[in-house]
Amino acid sequence: MIKNRLISSLKTIISTLLFAIADVIAIYAVDYISADFTIGPWYNAIIIVIAFTIVNALLWPIFRRFFMKIIIFTFGIASLFINSIIFYIASLLVPGVSTGIYGILQVPIVMAIATTLVSNIINTSYYDRYMKNILEYAVKQKTPYKKRYPGVIMIEIDGLSINTLKKAIDKGVMPNIKQFLDKSHALKGWETDLSSQTGASQAGILHGNNENIVAYRWVEKENNNKIVVSGKLSDTPEIEEKISNGEGLLKNGISIANMFSGDSKIPTLTSSKLNGLSNIYNKTLNAVFLDSYNFQRLFILFLWDIILELSSQITHLLRNIHPRLRRTIVYAAVRAGANVVLREVTTDVLTSEILTGDIDTAYATYMGYDEIAHHSGVQDNDVWGALKKIDLQFPKILSAIEMSDRDYELVILSDHGQTNGATFKQRYGITLGNYVRRLLPDDLKMFKTEYNIDHFRDAIIPENKQIRQIKEKMGFIRDDLFEDRGSLQNIKEDFQNKKPAILFENKQYLNLREKYSNSLEYITGHESVEHSTKKAQDSELIVLGSGNLGLIYLTQWKQRLTYEEIVMLFPDLIPGLVKHSGIGFVLVNSISNGGMIIGQNGIYYLNTDKIVGENPLAGFGKNASMHLKRQNSFDNMPDIMVNSFYDSKNNEVCAFEELIGSHGGLGGDQTKPFIIYPSKWQDPGELIGASSIYDFLKKEIEELKS
């Protein structure tokens, strides 16, 4: 024991000396390269390091106390300026030092770079020292009583499929997770709902309810064609209000960096409770700024991740890696924010709450893998580094659990996977929206949506609260579709007053039925006409992408159009879609038959499970029809829902967004996440749908209390 303490003390002394030497060299470097900073005599560099350390220790806690909200509202940037002010005060105490405004900004940053570099070279974890700060902070937050039953800590690795997890373990990228599985935990795959994306999955996992979450984004026709985005700060509060019953997994816990709160009273960086970035402040974020260096370290790691992303872009270009996206410097910053800053902040907050010991449950999301896989590829070299860094968070969390006065069980899971593949636009040179436009009359007007932006940016980029009615008086659909050449308004009124009789009395529809005796004959036999797209920018049509799930809304009608109505109004549309090689199947709702899954050579009738021709769901999983039948009952379903093809040989789909790794629909690993739970817990059996994860975890959480 004494020997171990001596070795630990010796390591601390050596590392402290190395850090001090690095800081001295950094000061000399700034003196050499900057015209705005002069150290004077050579020994002043040593004195500056000592003075800065002492002044920082004295003043940072004071500045932090008074300016914490400003620091957090500025995403930590204010701490860099505060640290520069502290350095300036320290420099005033050292005779011969001369510094201007640029100098006082440069020196602390260069010192942070040097310290971070030395920490990585000598493999010394800064976090071990910072944990002591967090522990001291947590002790001050403790309540006087101790809860005797264990809590549950749930860590989500966003977008990681069970198959990619297994590959990461085999490659040695995630040794800490491997150790869990070898010693104390069990691994199990589960199956997502449709849609396979964070909005639906986290709603189901945290609240046990993801009803009517159609996709990542959808249109509310009856609400002036409002486009709802499940990850957007302006929309998530309304979604959570609809799905929550007050019995979420986190009603006595903390939610960290999630889309929904699980009814937590401590929602930290949780979209549904932010309602705009002005509400970002939360007391738990104090744990990130307990000393001045921590954010500087994050800032350096942030810049380093941007460099890694830029080098990756060059590598992909030189090696001619395909599929490949155009990735900008803006994306590089977004990636660094998700992969580095949010990761480290999440760990700081989580360990602080574990050490405090008051929370019964915690659910925290690490989203770096999902962000990178979207743009680089599901198993590109870029993702292994992100997964390795996520894996390194688990020893920190375990250390906090061991130091806590309270026991905690650890669960690790993912909300969905991702499936790789070149996008629809990359493969066919046209977006799904513009292809749909070709199958509609020239005088239909299209609402141009550029919903191909990154999901992480999607959450915070502002947009108008509503998309107003695209045209108050519905325009002109070709009169020659109808025998009586009546106006669109008259036809719409007829739909309202006489539906469904008008469908089966209309001559255009009867002519189609006479020509084709059944739906499959119509799909396979009808030769669709592609129209020009010269007026595409003005169409009365909204087409959205959610991974490889496409949503087609014909916005002249507030109700969802049926199969019969679509066939009568736009006979080219459905055959044109299903005959496209990029499309696996479409889902429409029929007045006479209910849900219909239509592929190029077959139809699956959801209400009866009858298949005519080839099964369009072959290869999409044994539960595909069950998921689609449930989905078909949701509010705000599109007139036509489209799922891309799935190539089982290459495990590929094609997204209708510009994302290489995608999720949202059916096909491949996107529907195959995982859960790692304590081996002593009862095997939950087959887990299908996100609410099954809620039921499993809720049961175990309640049993721990008894």
Side-chain angles (χ1 to χ4, degrees), residues 671-704:
T671 60
K672 300 173 183 176
F674 68 89
I675 183 168
I676 297 172
Y677 59 91
S679 301
K680 59 188 176 185
W681 287 7
Q682 185 176 351
D683 186 332
E686 190 174 28
L687 295 167
I688 300 175
S691 62
S692 69
I693 301 297
Y694 170 87
D695 293 337
F696 171 48
L697 293 173
K698 188 79 168 177
K699 172 177 171 289
E700 294 296 340
I701 290 167
E702 294 302 320
E703 285 189 1
L704 288 171

mmCIF file of all heavy atoms in Angstrom, residues 671-704:
data_model
loop_
_atom_site.group_PDB
_atom_site.id
_atom_site.type_symbol
_atom_site.label_atom_id
_atom_site.label_comp_id
_atom_site.label_asym_id
_atom_site.label_seq_id
_atom_site.Cartn_x
_atom_site.Cartn_y
_atom_site.Cartn_z
ATOM 1 N N THR A 671 -32.130 -0.948 -38.274
ATOM 2 C CA THR A 671 -33.183 -1.396 -37.352
ATOM 3 C C THR A 671 -32.644 -2.355 -36.289
ATOM 4 O O THR A 671 -33.432 -2.983 -35.575
ATOM 5 C CB THR A 671 -34.309 -2.106 -38.122
ATOM 6 O OG1 THR A 671 -33.770 -3.255 -38.802
ATOM 7 C CG2 THR A 671 -34.950 -1.179 -39.143
ATOM 8 N N LYS A 672 -31.304 -2.456 -36.161
ATOM 9 C CA LYS A 672 -30.707 -3.467 -35.277
ATOM 10 C C LYS A 672 -29.771 -2.845 -34.250
ATOM 11 O O LYS A 672 -28.551 -3.014 -34.322
ATOM 12 C CB LYS A 672 -29.954 -4.507 -36.112
ATOM 13 C CG LYS A 672 -30.835 -5.240 -37.116
ATOM 14 C CD LYS A 672 -30.021 -6.134 -38.039
ATOM 15 C CE LYS A 672 -30.893 -6.799 -39.082
ATOM 16 N NZ LYS A 672 -30.111 -7.604 -40.055
ATOM 17 N N PRO A 673 -30.298 -2.108 -33.277
ATOM 18 C CA PRO A 673 -29.469 -1.602 -32.188
ATOM 19 C C PRO A 673 -29.207 -2.694 -31.155
ATOM 20 O O PRO A 673 -29.514 -3.870 -31.390
ATOM 21 C CB PRO A 673 -30.316 -0.465 -31.615
ATOM 22 C CG PRO A 673 -31.720 -0.862 -31.919
ATOM 23 C CD PRO A 673 -31.684 -1.665 -33.192
ATOM 24 N N PHE A 674 -28.660 -2.311 -30.003
ATOM 25 C CA PHE A 674 -28.289 -3.295 -28.976
ATOM 26 C C PHE A 674 -28.590 -2.731 -27.596
ATOM 27 O O PHE A 674 -28.823 -1.524 -27.415
ATOM 28 C CB PHE A 674 -26.797 -3.632 -29.070
ATOM 29 C CG PHE A 674 -25.908 -2.468 -28.691
ATOM 30 C CD1 PHE A 674 -25.510 -2.268 -27.377
ATOM 31 C CD2 PHE A 674 -25.487 -1.553 -29.650
ATOM 32 C CE1 PHE A 674 -24.719 -1.179 -27.025
ATOM 33 C CE2 PHE A 674 -24.691 -0.463 -29.313
ATOM 34 C CZ PHE A 674 -24.309 -0.274 -27.994
ATOM 35 N N ILE A 675 -28.575 -3.611 -26.620
ATOM 36 C CA ILE A 675 -28.612 -3.209 -25.214
ATOM 37 C C ILE A 675 -27.679 -4.119 -24.431
ATOM 38 O O ILE A 675 -27.657 -5.334 -24.637
ATOM 39 C CB ILE A 675 -30.048 -3.232 -24.638
ATOM 40 C CG1 ILE A 675 -30.051 -2.727 -23.191
ATOM 41 C CG2 ILE A 675 -30.694 -4.600 -24.758
ATOM 42 C CD1 ILE A 675 -31.440 -2.438 -22.639
ATOM 43 N N ILE A 676 -26.856 -3.525 -23.576
ATOM 44 C CA ILE A 676 -25.942 -4.247 -22.684
ATOM 45 C C ILE A 676 -26.420 -3.989 -21.257
ATOM 46 O O ILE A 676 -26.499 -2.836 -20.818
ATOM 47 C CB ILE A 676 -24.490 -3.760 -22.862
ATOM 48 C CG1 ILE A 676 -23.994 -4.063 -24.288
ATOM 49 C CG2 ILE A 676 -23.570 -4.395 -21.836
ATOM 50 C CD1 ILE A 676 -22.648 -3.441 -24.623
ATOM 51 N N TYR A 677 -26.763 -5.036 -20.536
ATOM 52 C CA TYR A 677 -27.360 -4.893 -19.208
ATOM 53 C C TYR A 677 -26.696 -5.880 -18.247
ATOM 54 O O TYR A 677 -26.051 -6.858 -18.671
ATOM 55 C CB TYR A 677 -28.870 -5.141 -19.279
ATOM 56 C CG TYR A 677 -29.256 -6.507 -19.801
ATOM 57 C CD1 TYR A 677 -29.433 -7.588 -18.929
ATOM 58 C CD2 TYR A 677 -29.426 -6.734 -21.167
ATOM 59 C CE1 TYR A 677 -29.777 -8.848 -19.404
ATOM 60 C CE2 TYR A 677 -29.759 -7.993 -21.649
ATOM 61 C CZ TYR A 677 -29.938 -9.038 -20.767
ATOM 62 O OH TYR A 677 -30.256 -10.288 -21.235
ATOM 63 N N PRO A 678 -26.805 -5.654 -16.933
ATOM 64 C CA PRO A 678 -26.180 -6.562 -15.965
ATOM 65 C C PRO A 678 -26.644 -8.004 -16.142
ATOM 66 O O PRO A 678 -27.848 -8.264 -16.274
ATOM 67 C CB PRO A 678 -26.629 -5.992 -14.611
ATOM 68 C CG PRO A 678 -26.884 -4.543 -14.877
ATOM 69 C CD PRO A 678 -27.433 -4.493 -16.275
ATOM 70 N N SER A 679 -25.716 -8.925 -16.142
ATOM 71 C CA SER A 679 -26.034 -10.342 -16.364
ATOM 72 C C SER A 679 -26.983 -10.893 -15.305
ATOM 73 O O SER A 679 -27.734 -11.846 -15.567
ATOM 74 C CB SER A 679 -24.746 -11.174 -16.368
ATOM 75 O OG SER A 679 -23.869 -10.728 -17.372
ATOM 76 N N LYS A 680 -26.964 -10.313 -14.119
ATOM 77 C CA LYS A 680 -27.828 -10.813 -13.034
ATOM 78 C C LYS A 680 -29.292 -10.447 -13.254
ATOM 79 O O LYS A 680 -30.175 -11.003 -12.586
ATOM 80 C CB LYS A 680 -27.344 -10.266 -11.689
ATOM 81 C CG LYS A 680 -27.340 -8.758 -11.597
ATOM 82 C CD LYS A 680 -26.661 -8.292 -10.312
ATOM 83 C CE LYS A 680 -26.579 -6.768 -10.258
ATOM 84 N NZ LYS A 680 -25.829 -6.302 -9.073
ATOM 85 N N TRP A 681 -29.550 -9.523 -14.174
ATOM 86 C CA TRP A 681 -30.947 -9.194 -14.487
ATOM 87 C C TRP A 681 -31.568 -10.329 -15.289
ATOM 88 O O TRP A 681 -30.872 -11.078 -15.983
ATOM 89 C CB TRP A 681 -31.026 -7.906 -15.293
ATOM 90 C CG TRP A 681 -30.742 -6.657 -14.510
ATOM 91 C CD1 TRP A 681 -30.308 -6.574 -13.224
ATOM 92 C CD2 TRP A 681 -30.867 -5.314 -14.982
ATOM 93 N NE1 TRP A 681 -30.148 -5.268 -12.851
ATOM 94 C CE2 TRP A 681 -30.487 -4.467 -13.910
ATOM 95 C CE3 TRP A 681 -31.255 -4.737 -16.188
ATOM 96 C CZ2 TRP A 681 -30.492 -3.078 -14.024
ATOM 97 C CZ3 TRP A 681 -31.259 -3.360 -16.301
ATOM 98 C CH2 TRP A 681 -30.887 -2.537 -15.231
ATOM 99 N N GLN A 682 -32.874 -10.426 -15.229
ATOM 100 C CA GLN A 682 -33.596 -11.466 -15.967
ATOM 101 C C GLN A 682 -33.548 -11.176 -17.466
ATOM 102 O O GLN A 682 -33.713 -10.034 -17.899
ATOM 103 C CB GLN A 682 -35.047 -11.526 -15.502
ATOM 104 C CG GLN A 682 -35.848 -12.658 -16.114
ATOM 105 C CD GLN A 682 -37.257 -12.728 -15.550
ATOM 106 O OE1 GLN A 682 -37.583 -12.034 -14.593
ATOM 107 N NE2 GLN A 682 -38.088 -13.562 -16.142
ATOM 108 N N ASP A 683 -33.325 -12.225 -18.262
ATOM 109 C CA ASP A 683 -33.335 -12.080 -19.718
ATOM 110 C C ASP A 683 -34.720 -11.603 -20.158
ATOM 111 O O ASP A 683 -35.727 -12.258 -19.871
ATOM 112 C CB ASP A 683 -33.017 -13.427 -20.365
ATOM 113 C CG ASP A 683 -32.856 -13.330 -21.885
ATOM 114 O OD1 ASP A 683 -33.468 -12.434 -22.503
ATOM 115 O OD2 ASP A 683 -32.128 -14.161 -22.457
ATOM 116 N N PRO A 684 -34.794 -10.468 -20.861
ATOM 117 C CA PRO A 684 -36.114 -9.936 -21.234
ATOM 118 C C PRO A 684 -36.771 -10.647 -22.402
ATOM 119 O O PRO A 684 -37.918 -10.333 -22.758
ATOM 120 C CB PRO A 684 -35.789 -8.485 -21.610
ATOM 121 C CG PRO A 684 -34.382 -8.544 -22.126
ATOM 122 C CD PRO A 684 -33.693 -9.591 -21.300
ATOM 123 N N GLY A 685 -36.074 -11.580 -23.035
ATOM 124 C CA GLY A 685 -36.646 -12.231 -24.214
ATOM 125 C C GLY A 685 -36.519 -11.345 -25.436
ATOM 126 O O GLY A 685 -35.689 -10.423 -25.485
ATOM 127 N N GLU A 686 -37.364 -11.592 -26.441
ATOM 128 C CA GLU A 686 -37.291 -10.828 -27.676
ATOM 129 C C GLU A 686 -37.761 -9.394 -27.435
ATOM 130 O O GLU A 686 -38.812 -9.163 -26.842
ATOM 131 C CB GLU A 686 -38.148 -11.488 -28.759
ATOM 132 C CG GLU A 686 -37.935 -10.900 -30.144
ATOM 133 C CD GLU A 686 -38.691 -11.661 -31.227
ATOM 134 O OE1 GLU A 686 -39.748 -12.255 -30.910
ATOM 135 O OE2 GLU A 686 -38.239 -11.665 -32.383
ATOM 136 N N LEU A 687 -36.961 -8.437 -27.902
ATOM 137 C CA LEU A 687 -37.265 -7.015 -27.718
ATOM 138 C C LEU A 687 -37.579 -6.396 -29.070
ATOM 139 O O LEU A 687 -36.688 -6.216 -29.905
ATOM 140 C CB LEU A 687 -36.078 -6.299 -27.067
ATOM 141 C CG LEU A 687 -35.737 -6.733 -25.628
ATOM 142 C CD1 LEU A 687 -34.366 -6.201 -25.221
ATOM 143 C CD2 LEU A 687 -36.810 -6.262 -24.653
ATOM 144 N N ILE A 688 -38.844 -6.083 -29.286
ATOM 145 C CA ILE A 688 -39.279 -5.493 -30.553
ATOM 146 C C ILE A 688 -39.965 -4.169 -30.259
ATOM 147 O O ILE A 688 -40.959 -4.126 -29.534
ATOM 148 C CB ILE A 688 -40.238 -6.428 -31.311
ATOM 149 C CG1 ILE A 688 -39.548 -7.760 -31.613
ATOM 150 C CG2 ILE A 688 -40.723 -5.770 -32.598
ATOM 151 C CD1 ILE A 688 -40.462 -8.793 -32.247
ATOM 152 N N GLY A 689 -39.440 -3.106 -30.829
ATOM 153 C CA GLY A 689 -39.993 -1.779 -30.614
ATOM 154 C C GLY A 689 -39.374 -1.095 -29.415
ATOM 155 O O GLY A 689 -38.995 -1.740 -28.421
ATOM 156 N N ALA A 690 -39.259 0.226 -29.496
ATOM 157 C CA ALA A 690 -38.594 0.989 -28.441
ATOM 158 C C ALA A 690 -39.317 0.886 -27.105
ATOM 159 O O ALA A 690 -38.689 0.913 -26.042
ATOM 160 C CB ALA A 690 -38.474 2.449 -28.870
ATOM 161 N N SER A 691 -40.632 0.752 -27.126
ATOM 162 C CA SER A 691 -41.373 0.659 -25.865
ATOM 163 C C SER A 691 -41.043 -0.627 -25.104
ATOM 164 O O SER A 691 -41.200 -0.685 -23.883
ATOM 165 C CB SER A 691 -42.881 0.754 -26.113
ATOM 166 O OG SER A 691 -43.325 -0.315 -26.926
ATOM 167 N N SER A 692 -40.554 -1.656 -25.807
ATOM 168 C CA SER A 692 -40.148 -2.884 -25.118
ATOM 169 C C SER A 692 -38.908 -2.633 -24.258
ATOM 170 O O SER A 692 -38.735 -3.262 -23.212
ATOM 171 C CB SER A 692 -39.883 -4.012 -26.122
ATOM 172 O OG SER A 692 -38.720 -3.753 -26.902
ATOM 173 N N ILE A 693 -38.048 -1.710 -24.691
ATOM 174 C CA ILE A 693 -36.880 -1.332 -23.893
ATOM 175 C C ILE A 693 -37.340 -0.574 -22.652
ATOM 176 O O ILE A 693 -36.828 -0.777 -21.548
ATOM 177 C CB ILE A 693 -35.904 -0.472 -24.728
ATOM 178 C CG1 ILE A 693 -35.433 -1.236 -25.974
ATOM 179 C CG2 ILE A 693 -34.709 -0.044 -23.892
ATOM 180 C CD1 ILE A 693 -34.637 -2.486 -25.680
ATOM 181 N N TYR A 694 -38.317 0.316 -22.835
ATOM 182 C CA TYR A 694 -38.897 1.042 -21.692
ATOM 183 C C TYR A 694 -39.457 0.053 -20.672
ATOM 184 O O TYR A 694 -39.175 0.167 -19.465
ATOM 185 C CB TYR A 694 -40.003 1.978 -22.190
ATOM 186 C CG TYR A 694 -40.837 2.600 -21.094
ATOM 187 C CD1 TYR A 694 -40.443 3.785 -20.483
ATOM 188 C CD2 TYR A 694 -42.027 1.997 -20.665
ATOM 189 C CE1 TYR A 694 -41.216 4.358 -19.476
ATOM 190 C CE2 TYR A 694 -42.797 2.560 -19.660
ATOM 191 C CZ TYR A 694 -42.387 3.750 -19.075
ATOM 192 O OH TYR A 694 -43.140 4.306 -18.077
ATOM 193 N N ASP A 695 -40.230 -0.910 -21.136
ATOM 194 C CA ASP A 695 -40.852 -1.879 -20.225
ATOM 195 C C ASP A 695 -39.790 -2.669 -19.462
ATOM 196 O O ASP A 695 -39.912 -2.889 -18.240
ATOM 197 C CB ASP A 695 -41.750 -2.842 -21.004
ATOM 198 C CG ASP A 695 -42.968 -2.147 -21.598
ATOM 199 O OD1 ASP A 695 -43.355 -1.083 -21.091
ATOM 200 O OD2 ASP A 695 -43.518 -2.674 -22.592
ATOM 201 N N PHE A 696 -38.750 -3.098 -20.166
ATOM 202 C CA PHE A 696 -37.677 -3.878 -19.551
ATOM 203 C C PHE A 696 -36.953 -3.058 -18.484
ATOM 204 O O PHE A 696 -36.775 -3.502 -17.335
ATOM 205 C CB PHE A 696 -36.708 -4.340 -20.644
ATOM 206 C CG PHE A 696 -35.444 -4.966 -20.140
ATOM 207 C CD1 PHE A 696 -35.468 -5.948 -19.159
ATOM 208 C CD2 PHE A 696 -34.211 -4.580 -20.654
ATOM 209 C CE1 PHE A 696 -34.293 -6.531 -18.704
ATOM 210 C CE2 PHE A 696 -33.034 -5.152 -20.208
ATOM 211 C CZ PHE A 696 -33.074 -6.129 -19.222
ATOM 212 N N LEU A 697 -36.534 -1.842 -18.848
ATOM 213 C CA LEU A 697 -35.778 -1.011 -17.915
ATOM 214 C C LEU A 697 -36.646 -0.547 -16.744
ATOM 215 O O LEU A 697 -36.187 -0.511 -15.596
ATOM 216 C CB LEU A 697 -35.188 0.190 -18.652
ATOM 217 C CG LEU A 697 -34.099 -0.142 -19.690
ATOM 218 C CD1 LEU A 697 -33.699 1.101 -20.476
ATOM 219 C CD2 LEU A 697 -32.876 -0.757 -19.015
ATOM 220 N N LYS A 698 -37.890 -0.204 -17.036
ATOM 221 C CA LYS A 698 -38.800 0.241 -15.968
ATOM 222 C C LYS A 698 -38.980 -0.860 -14.924
ATOM 223 O O LYS A 698 -38.970 -0.604 -13.707
ATOM 224 C CB LYS A 698 -40.147 0.622 -16.588
ATOM 225 C CG LYS A 698 -41.122 1.277 -15.630
ATOM 226 C CD LYS A 698 -40.809 2.737 -15.420
ATOM 227 C CE LYS A 698 -41.939 3.460 -14.710
ATOM 228 N NZ LYS A 698 -41.602 4.866 -14.433
ATOM 229 N N LYS A 699 -39.137 -2.063 -15.399
ATOM 230 C CA LYS A 699 -39.321 -3.211 -14.495
ATOM 231 C C LYS A 699 -38.104 -3.388 -13.596
ATOM 232 O O LYS A 699 -38.225 -3.564 -12.376
ATOM 233 C CB LYS A 699 -39.568 -4.467 -15.325
ATOM 234 C CG LYS A 699 -39.597 -5.773 -14.542
ATOM 235 C CD LYS A 699 -39.909 -6.931 -15.448
ATOM 236 C CE LYS A 699 -39.736 -8.274 -14.756
ATOM 237 N NZ LYS A 699 -38.312 -8.595 -14.494
ATOM 238 N N GLU A 700 -36.901 -3.325 -14.184
ATOM 239 C CA GLU A 700 -35.685 -3.522 -13.397
ATOM 240 C C GLU A 700 -35.448 -2.367 -12.425
ATOM 241 O O GLU A 700 -34.993 -2.577 -11.295
ATOM 242 C CB GLU A 700 -34.478 -3.674 -14.330
ATOM 243 C CG GLU A 700 -34.500 -4.929 -15.189
ATOM 244 C CD GLU A 700 -34.417 -6.211 -14.368
ATOM 245 O OE1 GLU A 700 -33.963 -6.166 -13.203
ATOM 246 O OE2 GLU A 700 -34.816 -7.268 -14.891
ATOM 247 N N ILE A 701 -35.770 -1.152 -12.854
ATOM 248 C CA ILE A 701 -35.616 0.015 -11.971
ATOM 249 C C ILE A 701 -36.528 -0.117 -10.754
ATOM 250 O O ILE A 701 -36.121 0.145 -9.613
ATOM 251 C CB ILE A 701 -35.913 1.320 -12.749
ATOM 252 C CG1 ILE A 701 -34.799 1.599 -13.767
ATOM 253 C CG2 ILE A 701 -36.062 2.503 -11.799
ATOM 254 C CD1 ILE A 701 -35.145 2.659 -14.787
ATOM 255 N N GLU A 702 -37.764 -0.541 -10.984
ATOM 256 C CA GLU A 702 -38.712 -0.691 -9.876
ATOM 257 C C GLU A 702 -38.300 -1.828 -8.947
ATOM 258 O O GLU A 702 -38.458 -1.732 -7.718
ATOM 259 C CB GLU A 702 -40.124 -0.934 -10.422
ATOM 260 C CG GLU A 702 -40.723 0.248 -11.181
ATOM 261 C CD GLU A 702 -40.789 1.513 -10.343
ATOM 262 O OE1 GLU A 702 -41.115 1.404 -9.138
ATOM 263 O OE2 GLU A 702 -40.488 2.599 -10.879
ATOM 264 N N GLU A 703 -37.755 -2.921 -9.520
ATOM 265 C CA GLU A 703 -37.344 -4.054 -8.688
ATOM 266 C C GLU A 703 -36.163 -3.692 -7.799
ATOM 267 O O GLU A 703 -36.029 -4.218 -6.691
ATOM 268 C CB GLU A 703 -37.003 -5.252 -9.572
ATOM 269 C CG GLU A 703 -38.233 -5.942 -10.148
ATOM 270 C CD GLU A 703 -37.904 -7.244 -10.849
ATOM 271 O OE1 GLU A 703 -36.710 -7.614 -10.874
ATOM 272 O OE2 GLU A 703 -38.834 -7.884 -11.370
ATOM 273 N N LEU A 704 -35.288 -2.803 -8.263
ATOM 274 C CA LEU A 704 -34.153 -2.380 -7.445
ATOM 275 C C LEU A 704 -34.611 -1.606 -6.208
ATOM 276 O O LEU A 704 -33.922 -1.583 -5.183
ATOM 277 C CB LEU A 704 -33.196 -1.518 -8.273
ATOM 278 C CG LEU A 704 -32.362 -2.244 -9.331
ATOM 279 C CD1 LEU A 704 -31.629 -1.243 -10.214
ATOM 280 C CD2 LEU A 704 -31.364 -3.198 -8.680
#
